[in-house]
Amino acid sequence: MPEWWPVLAGLVVLFAPTFDNLFAGAWIGEEQGHGPIIFALTLWLIWRKWPAVLALPAQPSSLGWPLLAIGLALHLLGRSQSILMFEVSSILCVMAAIIVVKRGLAAFRLLWFPFFFMLFMVPLPSELVAALTLPMKMAVSYVTEQLLFVAGYPIGRSGVVLQIGQYQLLVADACAGLQTLLTLEALGLFYLNVVRHTSAVRNVALAILIIPISFCANVVRVVTLTLVTYYYGDAAGQGFLHGFAGMVLFLTALVLILGVDSALQLAVRRGKPAGAAAPAGAP
């Protein structure tokens, strides 16, 4: 490990200003609030695989140098032009390049999932997020209105604005946007990587079903906020309980993921062909 201390020191010096900006800006907001969680889980995934990486024979590859150059260029451009997407992308590129340069492609293949997982903390262009978020917010608003209307609440809707009683609620991007969907997708993929099912059908099915699970979790969060506002007022809905609704979102998603995974496990077991009949015993 002593050979890695200069590398770690260089990474700290290089990216400390970036992380300072993230923790003081983007990562304290709801839309990018998942960033530190994704990064912490990435470091844990790398640490979990690190003994296996060190067990591999070191085969440094020159292919890491172009990737390192790209990462440093992204960092320079992102810092100088205040482009957060480039700054965060440079963290991924530089870390991956160092692994390839020092340990080789075999080590990178062993760590492919942590670096893929880190993609979820890279901010997307605001234009793309806005274009994809509006239909999602419309759908969540519609389902919320229908559920509460059937339950007997005085609710109406105009676009993404819900009117319940004397209160109006705007379904914001953080409540039902693309970033929330990506965060929950990351949570599901992390779950898949940790449990490591042997059934490919089960893994693929759960990865696909995470999308409707995320939608349902968003609906539960907006319904919760709407009911909190209806019973306790606008101050409660926008205050502490608004943050608590975010916890409800992730807890709901986690429960749904576990429930769907259990159902898939049962379906896979039932789908397996019956074992061959045991040979008859001797008389």
Side-chain angles (χ1 to χ4, degrees), residues 184 187-188 191 206 210 213 253-262:
L184 296 178
L187 176 66
Y191 170 80
L206 185 57
I210 288 172
I213 287 173
L254 183 59
V255 170
L256 289 174
I257 288 172
L258 293 174
V260 170
D261 188 34
S262 299

Side-chain angles (χ1 to χ4, degrees), residues 6-265:
V7 175
L8 294 176
L11 289 174
V12 170
V13 171
L14 181 64
F15 292 119
T18 296
F19 280 102
D20 181 64
N21 289 343
L22 288 171
F23 279 108
W27 282 0
I28 62 175
E30 288 190 334
E31 291 187 6
Q32 298 295 328
H34 62 281
I37 300 174
I38 298 294
F39 188 67
L41 291 177
T42 297
L43 294 180
W44 181 81
L45 289 169
I46 293 175
W47 174 81
R48 185 167 172 248
K49 288 284 188 179
W50 198 247
V53 171
L54 295 180
L56 293 173
Q59 297 177 333
S61 173
S62 59
L63 294 176
W65 293 111
L67 182 59
L68 180 61
I70 293 173
L72 294 176
L74 286 173
H75 180 71
L76 178 62
L77 185 60
R79 290 291 299 171
S80 62
Q81 303 299 317
S82 299
I83 304 177
L84 188 59
M85 182 177 68
F86 288 175
E87 282 194 72
V88 177
S89 298
S90 70
I91 300 173
L92 191 159
C93 291
V94 171
M95 290 178 60
I98 290 174
I99 295 295
V100 175
V101 168
K102 289 188 65 64
R103 302 298 301 182
L105 293 174
F108 179 77
R109 283 194 292 268
L110 197 60
L111 296 173
W112 74 270
F113 181 78
F115 288 109
F116 169 75
F117 187 70
M118 202 186 299
L119 288 172
F120 286 95
M121 77 175 193
V122 177
L124 296 175
S126 56
E127 295 80 6
L128 176 63
V129 172
L132 296 178
T133 292
L134 182 58
M136 295 172 58
K137 292 196 299 181
M138 291 287 290
V140 170
S141 304
Y142 174 79
V143 174
T144 300
E145 178 200 19
Q146 295 302 313
L147 288 176
L148 292 180
F149 180 78
V150 170
Y153 287 93
I155 188 170
R157 180 181 64 90
S158 176
V160 295
V161 177
L162 295 173
Q163 175 82 40
I164 183 165
Q166 71 270 35
Y167 301 107
Q168 279 191 341
L169 296 92
L170 172 67
V171 179
D173 294 354
C175 292
L178 179 63
Q179 294 294 349
T180 303
L181 175 63
L182 292 177
T183 303
L184 296 178
E185 183 71 25
L187 176 66
L189 293 178
F190 177 81
Y191 170 80
L192 285 175
N193 183 261
V194 171
V195 298
R196 304 187 70 83
H197 295 315
T198 56
S199 171
V201 174
R202 184 177 173 184
N203 287 332
V204 173
L206 185 57
I208 294 174
L209 289 173
I210 288 172
I211 297 176
I213 287 173
S214 302
F215 179 82
C216 293
N218 275 317
V219 170
V220 170
R221 181 185 187 184
V222 175
V223 167
T224 302
L225 281 174
T226 304
L227 292 178
V228 165
T229 301
Y230 179 69
Y231 285 109
Y232 300 103
D234 187 65
Q238 298 301 320
F240 169 77
L241 291 177
H242 191 278
F244 179 75
M247 296 176 59
V248 171
L249 169 73
F250 289 103
L251 289 176
T252 302
L254 183 59
V255 170
L256 289 174
I257 288 172
L258 293 174
V260 170
D261 188 34
S262 299
L264 289 173
Q265 181 183 14

